[in-house]
Amino acid sequence: MKLGIVGLGRMGGNIARRLMRGGHEVVVHDLSSDAVDAVAKDGAIPAASVEDMAGLLGEPAVFWIMLPAGAITQSMVERISDLAKPGAVIIDGGNSFYKDDIRRARELADKGIDYVDVGTSGGVWGLERGYCMMIGGKTSVVETLDPIFRTLAPGLGEIPRTPGRDGKPTADERAELGYIHAGPPGAGHFVKMVHNGIEYGLMQAYAEGFDILAGKGSEKLPDDERFDLNLTDIAEVWRRGSVISSWLLDLSATALAQDGKLNGFSGSVADSGEGHWTIEAAMEQATPAHVLSAALYARYRSRVDNTFGDKLLSAMRYGFGGHVEIPQ
């Protein structure tokens, strides 16, 4: 398929590259000409503007927006909708608020333009590993775009198949490949929002655990209760057969192997909107979310009072997504 990608940052550029590796034709645009040139060298068609992109795409045009959530994405949706012709598709692959997706889909439908929201997980590793995608949109449109999603997804890989899925009438084979059609517009980003809320809780659990381990050497404790623990080795051994093994633990072990004290991080941990929105959704439904709420508040606290665990949080965020800390 042929599509345009607007936004070539940490994920957008590699999404373009993975699609080209899969045989798709990609037109790219970014405010940074260097970013455009870098992807163009790998085979993409450069566009000087979204207006230029529209002319290069033909009809029906498919635009994939990979920009920060909020006003920047909204402005780009409006800009593209003003120049796109009926039958075009606008995909938002960022982390937009799902209620914004519902509104956009309704507004764009009046212009004959389809809107698809794609919650995309994979960070800076997606080019090689593939991207886990949670998709919202009309069934007919999502099915038309399936070749794009199938190329971006990780595929079966080496992950063991889940016992009991075979033969289930409700089992969607796409889930095993790493992507799903979650439902109508907004559903994709809603699922991704909760995914990121859970991510907060998982990361916080690791952070607090390693905080406890690090504190066992405190001079406040009696000598025979103080342990000089090697956190690097602990992270490594937990990766090998432990019930708490995970990619986040892998990233933690890598960061600790490079610097056991994590001196390269201050521990001032940022939070994206998804954690906050997940708590709002829980409140709207009167669903308790004790762990996810505490994890979000811990990030707020980290900007005032840092711990070793906060440094580990920053290291994990940098490891999977290239996220930098909030300047202090």
Side-chain angles (χ1 to χ4, degrees):
M1 294 186 69
K2 188 173 186 178
L3 73 156
I5 296 182
V6 181
L8 304 174
R10 288 191 301 264
M11 293 179 68
N14 281 343
I15 284 175
R17 291 183 177 94
R18 188 170 175 92
L19 286 170
M20 289 187 289
R21 288 182 182 181
H24 300 277
E25 192 174 3
V26 182
V27 182
V28 296
H29 172 67
D30 192 278
L31 291 178
S32 167
S33 58
D34 289 341
V36 173
D37 290 344
V39 183
K41 287 179 181 177
D42 291 328
I45 302 168
S49 63
V50 289
E51 289 77 13
D52 184 29
M53 176 179 285
L56 293 168
L57 286 176
E59 299 179 32
V62 177
F63 300 85
W64 182 303
I65 300 173
M66 208 66 192
L67 297 171
I72 295 175
T73 291
Q74 179 62 33
S75 176
M76 184 55 66
V77 169
E78 293 172 357
R79 187 174 169 187
I80 292 175
S81 69
D82 287 341
L83 59 90
K85 297 180 180 180
V89 179
I90 298 177
I91 303 170
D92 179 8
N95 282 321
S96 290
F97 186 40
Y98 74 98
K99 292 185 180 181
D100 289 337
D101 295 317
I102 296 170
R103 171 182 53 77
R104 289 172 188 158
R106 184 172 56 247
E107 293 171 352
L108 291 173
D110 293 337
K111 297 184 176 184
I113 298 171
D114 286 302
Y115 180 86
V116 175
D117 53 290
V118 181
T120 312
S121 182
V124 296
W125 299 86
L127 176 59
E128 302 300 333
R129 292 169 59 111
Y131 298 90
C132 173
M133 291 168 291
M134 298 134 270
I135 305 160
K138 290 196 305 188
T139 298
S140 59
V141 178
V142 173
E143 289 178 350
T144 299
L145 298 171
D146 189 75
I148 294 173
F149 303 135
R150 192 163 291 248
T151 297
L152 289 173
L156 280 173
E158 298 178 357
I159 298 175
R161 303 188 75 174
T162 301
R165 278 188 62 87
D166 290 344
K168 289 289 180 67
T170 58
D172 185 343
E173 61 121 9
R174 293 173 294 187
E176 287 191 310
L177 300 179
Y179 69 108
I180 58 168
H181 179 202
H189 277 151
F190 182 80
V191 175
K192 176 57 162 49
M193 176 190 78
V194 177
H195 163 284
N196 283 26
I198 293 170
E199 176 189 293
Y200 279 36
L202 292 173
M203 293 172 70
Q204 186 63 29
Y206 284 121
E208 292 179 8
F210 277 92
D211 251 345
I212 296 168
L213 293 170
K216 196 56 178 174
S218 172
E219 294 180 356
K220 297 178 181 178
L221 298 173
D223 289 345
D224 60 354
E225 293 182 12
R226 291 166 56 185
F227 302 142
D228 183 14
L229 299 171
N230 187 317
L231 302 187
T232 302
D233 286 349
I234 291 171
E236 185 62 29
V237 76
W238 282 353
R239 294 182 62 222
R240 312 287 174 171
S242 164
V243 72
I244 63 167
S245 60
S246 72
W247 186 26
L248 289 171
L249 183 58
D250 293 346
L251 294 170
S252 299
T254 298
L256 288 165
Q258 293 171 349
D259 176 9
K261 296 188 180 298
L262 301 177
N263 288 324
F265 298 95
S266 70
S268 181
V269 187
D271 69 282
S272 53
E274 303 94 304
H276 183 94
W277 299 334
T278 301
I279 305 309
E280 285 186 346
M283 292 172 65
E284 288 177 350
Q285 302 169 40
T287 300
H290 308 295
V291 173
L292 308 192
S293 299
L296 176 63
Y297 297 149
R299 294 196 179 194
Y300 296 159
R301 187 265 310 141
S302 76
R303 297 162 207 171
V304 179
D305 179 26
N306 310 132
T307 68
F308 180 81
D310 295 330
K311 291 184 178 183
L312 189 64
L313 277 175
S314 289
M316 282 186 271
R317 296 186 78 248
Y318 182 78
F320 66 71
H323 301 293
V324 296
E325 295 179 308
I326 295 177
Q328 290 186 306

